[in-house]
Amino acid sequence: MDNKMFCYQCQETAGNSGCTQSGVCGKSPVVAGIQDLLIYVTKGISEVTTKLREEGKKVSTDINHLITLNLFTTITNANFDEEAIASRIVSTIDAKNELISQLSDKASLSDAALWAGSNVEFTGKAATVGVLATENEDIRSLRELITYGLKGLSAYSKHANALLKDDEEVDAFLQRALAKTLDDTLGAEELVALTLETGKYGVNGMALLDAANTTAYGNPEITKVNIGVGTRPGILISGHDLRDMELLLQQTEGTGVDVYTHSEMLPAHYYPAFKKYTHFVGNYGNAWWKQKEEFDSFNGPILMTTNCIVPPKDSYKDRLYTTGAAGFPGCKHIGGEIGQEKDFSEIIEHAKKCAAPTEIETGEIVGGFAHNQVLALADAVVGAVKSGAIKKFIVMAGCDGRAKSRNYYTDFANALPKDTVILTAGCAKYKYNKLELGDIGGIPRVLDAGQCNDSYSLAVIALKLKEVFGLEDINDLPIIYNIAWYEQKAVIVLLALLHLGVKNIHLGPTLPAFLSPNVVKVLVENFGIAGIGTVEEDMELFFGKEEEVAATVEVEGAITKDMLIGDILRIDSNLAPILLEVGMHCLGCPSSQMESLEDACGVHGMDVNIVLEKLNSQLTK
């Protein structure tokens, strides 16, 4: 990232002068800078709350909520409103000053904790506190990885908070970790450990939200969702906040206005509590990035509860409403704090004056495969695996985006063997959830668990399968992880999976730009993180050639990943050239021969399963 500015919001590098806004997220450099300043003062107040806890003093729920909402406000494509962000900076500084007065020991507070500039100083200060304020590339990379993970965690906490669910341990960790990103005494090793700890609390945060959602609305269940339209005017609701969904359905009942979901709000249809509303018609459109054409054709007003907002066209800007952490200049914002009722009467009256949605597609899509539903089908799923009807599961969670390179995921899904099942969550599903992929013995080949935060369900399912099959290692499951990343919630999902011990996760279409080469090396060597190739390359990578896979299964005493390199070489001298060919050029070193094959592959950045296939294939000749 030398001589380039890195954008906090869209996670892309731009030219020397700052963010060029080349169609990626649409924020002006001024707004991007103000968001950097909001992050900075949020780290400062988190340093103060952490010190207060160390002194045995209580931090109020209101302060926890303020910090959580601050982070959520800065998440990708959530808020573009400079005035709204500046207002949060002012509120944070005021709250921080009050908290500092409660500290017994004010020594060693950082500039982020002490700075209390006025509005006229915001732009100048923002220019000094952005991502590149940390000069060491590796430290900067790790701090950003942690910060992005915490921003994802803040989203899950905020949704749980809206349902009056809090976890003091999660809040205290989030603030403690933010404060540690200011600590110049922490080196790479400590920050790597903090990264993994962020994953641990990511799991806790997702579990908190899962419990909040299911307690309020029931467990998601298999549901067919209409993707056509009715004849009445409608409101289109997008984002992730199910409490906003509930309030809108309650207030539109009996008004003659229908409600449709868009993008990440699709999984609302899976919850039993929402099925009683007959005016809850279906899902309109696709992933977030298609909204410019789909919002135009919807004709009625749109309510954005969270990210992802694309800067609206003038043709529908007057119909775009925001609430919660979302915001856009010139668009009506509907207020309402946690625990308060929101008044959606204005958007409802607006809808009554609009034409019904223009139909853009017809039919149904099936979803609702969160952990409770899949575990209810456990006998059928396990039976299909044991019979060989299902050979592998492919986790294809994550985010969609507009780049043509993301068509890879559509092509990849189409190319998958017919004996595989996709486990998905997040808007990445829109690349393949409308494909005719069929089913296996009545089990659909695309199992949609829900929103990005419902990636928790995918982890629960994997852990349950590990238990059912009596495996010691989650990585021994027949599961491939091929995840599309875009924004911060995908980062916390990744860190949560790493905490759970999942290895060999593939990320695409490219590895995150904020990761330095050395940080990438750590992720590769310790966790087997890798990018993606072409669909053809990855099909062979993940599944191999059918005859080679069959031969591996039939070999008696086949080589396993926990065998020592020395033992493998003693089995057959013809295996040495294979190891040399894949890049293990240190076979003559005695210490290398005492490594397991899995450890050796990890050090060299190789996929152990590919090496195993090559070795076991040699044994069958």
Side-chain angles (χ1 to χ4, degrees):
M1 297 194 304
D2 291 345
N3 298 320
K4 290 186 178 180
M5 177 65 77
F6 183 77
C7 181
Y8 236 130
Q9 283 69 52
C10 61
Q11 300 149 46
E12 300 285 345
T13 52
N16 303 356
S17 59
C19 186
T20 59
Q21 303 308 316
S22 54
V24 182
C25 81
K27 291 188 179 71
S28 71
V30 172
V31 172
I34 291 295
Q35 289 204 165
D36 282 354
L37 184 58
L38 179 57
I39 289 289
Y40 185 69
V41 297
T42 302
K43 289 181 177 181
I45 193 173
S46 296
E47 181 183 349
V48 177
T49 60
T50 300
K51 287 184 179 293
L52 283 170
R53 289 188 176 96
E54 290 171 353
E55 292 182 359
K57 296 171 182 173
K58 183 175 175 57
V59 176
S60 72
T61 300
D62 287 344
I63 292 296
N64 290 340
H65 289 172
L66 179 144
I67 291 170
T68 296
L69 185 55
N70 280 0
L71 277 188
F72 195 10
T73 298
T74 69
I75 214 163
T76 309
N77 286 37
N79 200 305
F80 298 69
D81 192 332
E82 180 186 349
E83 289 185 10
I85 298 166
S87 176
R88 295 209 63 81
I89 294 173
V90 171
S91 298
T92 303
I93 290 173
D94 290 344
K96 176 169 58 70
N97 290 340
E98 171 60 27
L99 292 173
I100 288 175
S101 71
Q102 300 173 28
L103 275 176
S104 300
D105 181 6
K106 302 177 178 62
S108 73
L109 285 175
S110 70
D111 177 74
L114 295 172
W115 188 78
S118 64
N119 292 58
V120 295
E121 299 173 83
F122 284 3
T123 302
K125 185 65 175 178
T128 70
V129 299
V131 174
L132 296 186
T134 302
E135 293 184 4
N136 182 293
E137 183 181 33
D138 297 330
I139 299 299
R140 179 174 69 225
S141 179
L142 288 166
R143 285 178 174 176
E144 296 317 300
L145 181 57
I146 292 163
T147 301
Y148 293 146
L150 295 174
K151 289 167 79 170
L153 176 57
S154 76
Y156 304 150
S157 290
K158 166 60 173 65
H159 298 318
N161 297 161
L163 294 170
L164 305 182
K165 299 295 183 182
D166 291 87
D167 187 325
E168 168 64 20
E169 287 190 13
V170 170
D171 289 325
F173 168 76
L174 183 147
Q175 293 160 34
R176 184 169 69 251
L178 277 177
K180 286 184 177 182
T181 64
L182 296 168
D183 188 348
D184 291 330
T185 69
L186 298 181
E189 186 174 344
E190 291 93 343
L191 291 174
V192 167
L194 183 59
T195 299
L196 294 181
E197 192 177 8
T198 302
K200 172 182 182 295
Y201 282 93
V203 175
N204 294 350
M206 286 189 278
L208 173 70
L209 178 55
D210 180 77
N213 285 340
T214 55
T215 299
Y217 308 120
N219 282 294
E221 55 192 22
I222 300 174
T223 305
K224 292 181 178 178
V225 181
N226 171 45
I227 57 175
V229 299
T231 58
R232 305 196 309 177
I235 295 173
L236 188 61
I237 179 170
S238 191
H240 308 76
D241 200 303
L242 294 184
R243 175 60 175 156
D244 288 336
M245 180 84 248
E246 179 184 25
L247 291 173
L248 182 65
L249 286 171
Q250 289 173 349
Q251 293 179 36
T252 48
E253 192 170 25
T255 64
V257 174
D258 290 331
V259 175
Y260 297 77
T261 56
H262 184 267
S263 190
E264 280 283 72
M265 197 57 87
L266 163 66
H269 293 278
Y270 311 156
Y271 287 89
F274 298 142
K275 293 183 178 182
K276 66 183 179 183
Y277 296 101
T278 57
H279 64 297
F280 191 22
V281 173
N283 188 74
Y284 190 85
N286 297 276
W288 63 274
W289 61 275
K290 296 274 287 182
Q291 62 189 252
K292 284 200 172 184
E293 54 262 45
E294 291 172 354
F295 286 5
D296 238 347
S297 62
F298 183 74
N299 301 325
I302 305 101
L303 176 64
M304 299 298 299
T305 65
T306 62
N307 60 317
C308 295
I309 299 174
V310 174
K313 294 164 58 178
D314 290 341
S315 56
Y316 65 82
K317 186 175 181 180
D318 67 323
R319 293 190 278 115
L320 187 69
Y321 292 73
T322 63
T323 191
F328 197 92
C331 294
K332 176 73 176 181
H333 186 81
I334 298 172
E337 300 299 323
I338 289 171
Q340 296 178 346
E341 294 291 310
K342 294 184 179 181
D343 182 1
F344 291 123
S345 57
E346 183 174 351
I347 191 173
I348 294 170
E349 291 305 310
H350 191 155
K352 291 178 181 178
K353 302 172 185 176
C354 297
T358 301
E359 190 169 80
I360 56 176
E361 56 189 341
T362 59
E364 295 176 326
I365 48 180
V366 179
F369 295 95
H371 58 88
N372 188 72
Q373 180 64 82
V374 172
L375 296 183
L377 301 172
D379 289 344
V381 173
V382 171
V385 174
K386 289 183 174 179
S387 71
I390 295 177
K391 292 287 178 60
K392 284 190 178 180
F393 297 93
I394 300 88
V395 173
M396 293 177 67
C399 313
D400 196 14
R402 63 172 67 83
K404 289 184 179 179
S405 57
R406 290 180 182 269
N407 292 335
Y408 160 93
Y409 294 100
T410 303
D411 297 338
F412 183 88
N414 267 321
L416 285 169
K418 303 300 181 185
D419 53 11
T420 59
V421 171
I422 296 172
L423 302 175
T424 191
C427 62
K429 62 176 159 273
Y430 281 103
K431 286 297 184 191
Y432 40 79
N433 68 342
K434 295 174 184 177
L435 299 177
E436 296 293 335
L437 297 180
D439 63 81
I440 298 175
I443 301 170
R445 289 191 56 228
V446 177
L447 301 182
D448 175 22
Q451 298 178 343
C452 46
N453 50 278
D454 292 312
S455 297
Y456 173 74
S457 279
L458 306 184
V460 172
I461 292 167
L463 291 170
K464 184 63 177 180
L465 289 173
K466 171 176 169 281
E467 175 188 329
V468 169
F469 288 111
L471 300 173
E472 293 184 3
D473 188 341
I474 196 172
N475 296 293
D476 291 334
L477 285 169
I479 298 180
I480 294 164
Y481 293 85
N482 192 7
I483 295 175
W485 97 281
Y486 185 82
E487 50 95 14
Q488 292 89 346
K489 282 178 276 186
V491 174
I492 193 60
V493 170
L494 169 64
L495 298 184
L497 290 173
L498 295 183
H499 165 72
L500 292 172
V502 176
K503 294 186 176 181
N504 303 319
I505 298 171
H506 289 255
L507 293 176
T510 59
L511 291 178
F514 59 81
L515 296 179
S516 70
N518 285 331
V519 172
V520 170
K521 184 179 179 183
V522 169
L523 293 174
V524 169
E525 291 180 351
N526 291 282
F527 305 103
I529 295 292
I532 61 173
T534 66
V535 170
E536 294 76 16
E537 290 169 344
D538 289 345
M539 283 295 128
E540 185 167 350
L541 172 69
F542 294 136
F543 302 101
K545 297 178 181 178
E546 289 187 9
E547 62 273 17
E548 289 181 355
V549 175
T552 300
V553 174
E554 293 169 4
V555 174
E556 185 177 352
I559 294 167
T560 60
K561 63 185 178 183
D562 58 350
M563 282 185 178
L564 300 181
I565 297 294
D567 292 339
I568 292 172
L569 294 175
R570 284 188 284 274
I571 291 174
D572 186 338
S573 60
N574 290 321
L575 298 178
I578 294 176
L579 293 173
L580 291 169
E581 177 187 343
V582 298
M584 293 187 188
H585 301 297
C586 52
L587 298 181
C589 173
S591 61
S592 73
Q593 294 192 30
M594 295 302 294
E595 288 183 312
S596 70
L597 179 64
E598 182 175 30
D599 287 343
C601 287
V603 169
H604 290 84
M606 302 169 186
D607 189 319
V608 66
N609 295 313
I610 296 175
V611 178
L612 273 175
E613 288 180 11
K614 291 179 180 290
L615 294 171
N616 284 314
S617 179
Q618 173 63 35
L619 291 182
T620 64
K621 293 182 180 179

